[in-house]
């Protein structure tokens, strides 16, 4: 037999595709050809595989070797195919039985010494293999804990190529060298819980934060430096409920591909928090990289919070790229190598000073900024972007006599009750929070006739509210009603939601 087969998985975004890895050995001049739309890093696997095989004490086949990755039209990238290529080649050479490896998925990168190195995206890759009816998977030992999180997977971990081959009956000596340990990029989660009780004063902003947590709304805070904007934003994840099983798998899969997931901690159960610096590029926010793009901060914040501190300092390109995920909860990245989709249903929190110098609050008597500087500064937050932000509040400077407010545990309990009311109301729908519900659905259950929407109609006539803004005011009003334990919002809730939407300009 001169043809060996095994399986691997190619990830395009978070979508996994099972790939047939075929190796053909022909009696001709020695050569190694890799076909099937590989990228540059995958093309280099030829040298890694050859060195790993010889380092494992095996002779490299002195034949013309052709390795095909099928389907050939699917773009493939990365070093995750190394082990599958090596196993298929050695099966064709008769080192291991062809039948034993034909239905097994092999994932992992090979070192030149034959050891297996961990790779990113093992969780979604193994999940794709199980969904395709291929539950038998071999992964690097460093990825074993992550792969075992997938229900129904029959996973085996290995430290070296020789260890894999011995499992299939090959006569080869297993090295005693220690396996390669996984290294993970640091996650952006605090080492200890941040308590909302640390924030003094700012009752209006604290209430807006509670409403944002209860309904999943986006939030803009405008105030002078030191008013507590960053402290409030950092405490929002503590108010959010734990992720359910489906959400935890989604979030964990994104962080697995991004390389920020530690499998020893199990599935990510808490909402993530991302706060990129204002010098971040569009690719770092929405995703990028050579070949198929990797997830950016917006996707890593899926089901959590994306916080942009000093938002007007971000480039216009970065801010405008957020409009698609704010509207659809998904990022679709088109590149020459293909199209990748990543979930990005996050809560956006923007913090901004009233002007470049930061002293333009109140009457602005101490402000040193010229009028055009103010316009240029806040003009970065365009109308279309702000129109998608449900809550917009202003913060005053802290005072010496301000007192601490309620702690996180107390506020989170109210948020949980409001979320439970939304879950009961939205059962049987594809939505989870008020922030996701279309305005028409909410209006149909509002009752009270058009007179209940009179204030919103006047705001539209004055130009302080758009039609999209009306829907977002309705969503906030329903959240306020949920926090108050009411079955539907009244005119008082609509008026309060309008004030929180327009920073007092729509009254």
């Amino acid at each position: 037999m001169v043809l060996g087969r095994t399986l691997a998985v190619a990830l395009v975004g978070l979508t996994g595709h099972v790939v047939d890895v075929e190796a053909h050995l022909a009696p001709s001049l020695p050569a190694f050809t890799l076909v099937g739309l590989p990228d540059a890093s995958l093309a280099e696997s030829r040298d890694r595989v050859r060195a790993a095989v010889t380092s494992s004490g095996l002779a490299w086949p002195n034949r013309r070797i052709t390795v095909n990755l099928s389907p050939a039209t699917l773009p493939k990238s990365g070093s995750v195919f190394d082990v599958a290529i090596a196993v298929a080649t050695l099966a064709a050479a008769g080192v291991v039985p062809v039948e034993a490896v034909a239905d097994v998925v092999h994932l992992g990168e090979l070192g030149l010494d034959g050891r297996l190195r961990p790779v990113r995206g093992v969780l979604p890759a193994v999940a794709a293999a199980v969904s395709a009816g291929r539950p038998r998977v071999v992964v690097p030992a460093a990825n074993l804990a992550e792969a075992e999180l997938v229900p129904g997977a029959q996973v085996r971990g290995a430290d070296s190529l020789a260890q894999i081959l011995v499992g299939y009956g090959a006569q080869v000596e297993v090295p005693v060298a220690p396996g390669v340990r996984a290294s993970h990029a640091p996650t952006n989660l605090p080492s200890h819980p941040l308590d909302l009780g640390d924030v003094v004063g700012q009752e209006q902003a604290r209430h807006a934060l509670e409403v944002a947590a209860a309904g999943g709304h986006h939030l803009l805070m405008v105030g002078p430096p030191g008013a507590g904007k960053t402290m409030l934003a950092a405490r929002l994840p503590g108010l959010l409920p734990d992720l359910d099983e489906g959400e935890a798998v989604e979030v964990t899969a994104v962080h697995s591909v991004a390389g920020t997931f530690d499998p020893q901690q199990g599935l990510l159960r808490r909402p993530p928090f991302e706060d990129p610096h204002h010098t971040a590029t569009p690719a770092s926010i929405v995703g990028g990289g050579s070949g198929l793009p990797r997830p950016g901060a917006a996707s890593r914040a899926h089901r959590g919070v994306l916080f942009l501190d000093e938002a007007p300092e971000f480039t216009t390109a970065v801010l405008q790229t957020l409009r698609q995920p704010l509207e659809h909860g998904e990022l679709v990245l088109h590149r020459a190598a293909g199209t990748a989709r990543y979930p990005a249903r996050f809560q956006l929190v923007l913090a901004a000073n009233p002007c470049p110098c930061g002293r333009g609050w109140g009457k602005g008597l101490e402000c040193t900024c010229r009028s055009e500087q103010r316009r240029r500064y806040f003009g970065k937050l365009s109308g279309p972007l702000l129109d998608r932000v449900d809550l917009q509040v202003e913060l005053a400077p802290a005072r010496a006599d301000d007192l601490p407010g309620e702690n996180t545990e107390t506020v989170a309990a109210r948020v949980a009750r409001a979320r439970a009311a939304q879950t009961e109301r939205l059962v049987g729908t594809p939505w989870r929070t008020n922030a996701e519900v279309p305005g028409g659905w909410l209006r149909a259950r509002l009752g009270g006739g058009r007179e209940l929407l009179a204030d919103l109609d006047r705001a539209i006539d004055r130009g302080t509210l758009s039609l999209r803004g009306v829907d977002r005011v309705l969503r906030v009003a329903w959240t306020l009603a949920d926090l108050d334990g009411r079955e539907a919002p009244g005119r008082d809730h609509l008026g309060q939601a309008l004030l929180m939407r327009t920073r007092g300009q729509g009254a």
Side-chain angles (χ1 to χ4, degrees), residues 10 22 53 71 113 172 212 229 255 310 322 414 486:
E22 303 171 313
V53 169
D113 56 358
V172 61
K229 303 185 295 295
H255 286 261
E310 303 293 343
L322 296 176
R414 290 199 298 269
R486 302 264 292 273

Side-chain angles (χ1 to χ4, degrees), residues 205 262 280 314 376:
D262 182 2
F314 283 80
R376 190 182 309 113

Side-chain angles (χ1 to χ4, degrees), residues 202-269:
Q202 304 299 355
E203 292 301 321
Q204 182 183 3
R206 290 170 58 93
H207 180 55
L209 196 74
E210 180 179 343
V211 174
H217 304 287
H218 307 305
L219 173 64
L220 165 66
M221 294 181 288
V222 180
K229 303 185 295 295
T230 303
M231 289 186 66
L232 286 165
R235 282 150 180 79
L236 176 57
L239 303 180
L240 302 176
D242 289 339
L243 305 175
D244 62 29
E245 193 70 23
E247 293 171 339
V249 171
E250 280 183 349
V251 173
T252 305
V254 173
H255 286 261
S256 173
V257 175
T260 57
F261 167 57
D262 182 2
Q264 303 302 325
Q265 305 298 323
L267 293 175
L268 297 176
R269 299 289 183 179

